[in-house]
Amino acid sequence: MSDLPPLKVMIAAGEVSGDMYGGALIAALRARFPGRRLEVRGMGGDALRAAGADLLYHTDALGAMGIVEVLAKLRFFRRVLRDMVGLARDWRPDLLITLDYYSFNIALAERVHALGIRTAHYISPKVWVWRKGRIKRMARAFDLLLCIFPFEPALYAPSGLRAAYVGHPLVEQAAATRAEPPPALPWGEGRRVALLPGSRAGEIKALLPIFLDAARRVETALEGACAFLLPAPTPRMRALAERILAEHPAPKRFAIVDGQARHVLAQAEAAMIASGTATLEACLMGCPAVLAYRVSLPTELIARLITLRADFPFAGLVNIVLNRLAMPELLQRACTPRNAARWTLDFLRDTPARRDLLAAYAEANARLGAPGATARAADLLAPLLSPM
């Protein structure tokens, strides 16, 4: 190792997807400074911890799925913010990298930037959907914004914020998964269905009972000739799923695996998925899926008010990329076991619905571009680690 002092990166990821991207990003940054020690501290999950990050808070404690639910944990989030700002003030990192998780991370970046520390944000918030007024605030808080969709940098140009398109990191991760030998997963016999009820406790509590009921309906329709896998994102979320299973019977052929969501999707013939990053993973892995989501009534009402002037009337990332409804969306009252089972059965058969969605996937994947997002992001972040 060099005699030079270590490079210090502070990182903030509040959800499993951001943690996943962050772990890959830290590995790429280390490769750009061979022989130089890179210290990483902040908040994240298992991927960042595996990449060598020292975590103050884990994503398992940070996930909240709706506006009302976040308000209920407001005191906790204030403590997290206070502790993270204290870390920046005392440790004096060379760079703060925030990943997605906008509402918390913008507040953190503002405070850290005011300390004279460089800041960068990876995964632009969806200002093109709602609240474009956030752009001015972001321009004051961040030195660099890394965008995952090609149309995003132009939205920030008038503000003076340096915004660069790097591509979507899931594209390279999906390519890496496809290149790996397929693991032996405990499917059992029959048509294969993946269940992905989310990565946060609130999502799993709301959606897993619905997915299990839908799975039993599919099982009945197929006379038992089907199997179901649930890839648990973390050990804590697996334990939660197992507690729910104690009260909601599963189909005969059902199993939980640790992680491996993309491998599960690659081997599945259909999927039921919570709205979020996993819907894009289904697209990249070629697994026809129905999107589902349900939040509390107060959260729904607030969300409807906020998004009255939304430019994109869709929840799913695949539909947003295409700007049309391709992947079916079962939201709120439409999120029922009957509807989820109906779409899943359609996707398990050679139907126009299955063929149309696979064609839409091909179009969306082409728009997402080539692999290499993490390397491009690391190339842009590396100069920010030099002395100011």
Side-chain angles (χ1 to χ4, degrees):
M1 283 288 181
S2 168
D3 291 332
L4 293 170
L7 297 169
K8 297 190 290 186
V9 174
M10 182 173 164
I11 199 150
E15 296 182 304
V16 171
S17 58
D19 169 64
M20 179 175 60
Y21 304 147
L25 186 59
I26 291 302
L29 280 173
R30 290 191 194 282
R32 278 147 184 79
F33 297 96
R36 186 84 180 267
R37 193 153 55 96
L38 187 71
E39 293 183 358
V40 184
R41 300 181 187 179
M43 64 188 216
D46 295 344
L48 275 165
R49 182 172 283 158
D54 182 9
L55 302 180
L56 271 68
Y57 290 94
H58 194 279
T59 53
D60 280 347
L62 296 164
M65 65 178 288
I67 298 166
V68 173
E69 291 79 0
V70 169
L71 291 175
K73 296 179 67 174
L74 195 56
R75 181 176 296 180
F76 168 73
F77 285 118
R78 284 174 175 165
R79 184 172 78 247
V80 176
L81 180 60
R82 183 176 63 248
D83 290 347
M84 289 288 286
V85 173
L87 171 65
R89 184 179 56 250
D90 298 339
W91 188 46
R92 300 298 305 180
D94 299 296
L95 174 65
L96 166 68
I97 302 173
T98 55
L99 296 115
D100 207 353
Y101 207 58
Y102 173 79
S103 295
F104 178 91
N105 277 334
I106 186 67
L108 175 63
E110 287 172 332
R111 289 159 174 78
V112 172
H113 199 263
L115 296 173
I117 295 168
R118 290 182 175 133
T119 57
H121 188 71
Y122 191 19
I123 314 297
S124 164
K126 298 177 181 64
V127 298
W128 29 273
V129 178
W130 59 285
R131 286 180 60 191
K132 291 182 180 178
R134 293 179 291 178
I135 292 175
K136 292 181 180 178
R137 187 181 181 189
M138 293 171 64
R140 294 190 296 267
F142 298 116
D143 295 296
L144 174 65
L145 175 66
L146 301 173
C147 302
I148 61 174
F149 296 115
F151 56 81
E152 291 177 319
L155 298 173
Y156 296 95
S159 72
L161 173 60
R162 183 186 172 206
Y165 168 63
V166 296
H168 205 297
L170 271 182
V171 174
E172 66 202 47
Q173 293 175 8
T177 298
R178 287 193 296 270
E180 295 171 358
L185 296 172
W187 284 106
E189 297 179 358
R191 310 305 297 271
R192 297 176 171 185
V193 181
L195 305 181
L196 286 83
S199 60
R200 295 177 286 191
E203 292 172 331
I204 294 171
K205 290 176 183 177
L207 295 176
L208 182 53
I210 295 171
F211 286 4
L212 290 171
D213 190 343
R216 293 193 301 272
R217 290 168 181 258
V218 170
E219 182 181 48
T220 298
L222 296 180
E223 299 180 339
C226 51
F228 302 84
L229 278 189
L230 189 160
T234 68
R236 184 173 174 182
M237 295 305 108
R238 179 185 180 124
L240 172 60
E242 289 171 343
R243 290 197 298 272
I244 293 171
L245 282 162
E247 300 178 2
H248 299 271
K252 182 179 179 181
R253 296 188 181 94
F254 174 88
I256 300 177
V257 296
D258 295 320
Q260 305 184 89
R262 285 189 295 277
H263 280 298
V264 170
L265 288 168
Q267 295 182 24
E269 298 167 83
M272 307 176 208
I273 301 184
S275 179
T277 304
T279 58
L280 203 57
E281 289 183 297
C283 174
L284 289 162
M285 303 314 296
C287 179
V290 55
L291 175 158
Y293 214 66
R294 180 182 284 181
V295 294
S296 65
L297 180 59
T299 293
E300 179 190 5
L301 294 175
I302 294 171
R304 286 182 181 276
L305 287 173
I306 289 173
T307 57
L308 281 175
R309 300 178 65 184
D311 294 336
F312 287 72
F314 311 114
L317 290 172
V318 174
N319 298 333
I320 288 171
V321 169
L322 295 171
N323 196 22
R324 71 173 190 272
L325 187 64
M327 179 182 286
E329 298 184 352
L330 303 181
L331 307 177
Q332 295 303 96
R333 283 162 292 283
C335 181
T336 66
R338 180 179 180 181
N339 287 339
R342 178 174 61 84
W343 279 107
T344 301
L345 287 166
D346 259 2
F347 292 150
L348 287 172
R349 297 160 175 153
D350 184 20
T351 60
R354 179 183 176 89
R355 293 192 295 270
D356 289 348
L357 183 53
L358 289 174
Y361 278 0
E363 184 182 346
N365 291 341
R367 293 190 184 188
L368 289 171
T374 300
R376 290 187 286 271
D379 287 341
L380 291 167
L381 289 168
L384 296 181
L385 284 167
S386 60
M388 296 184 72

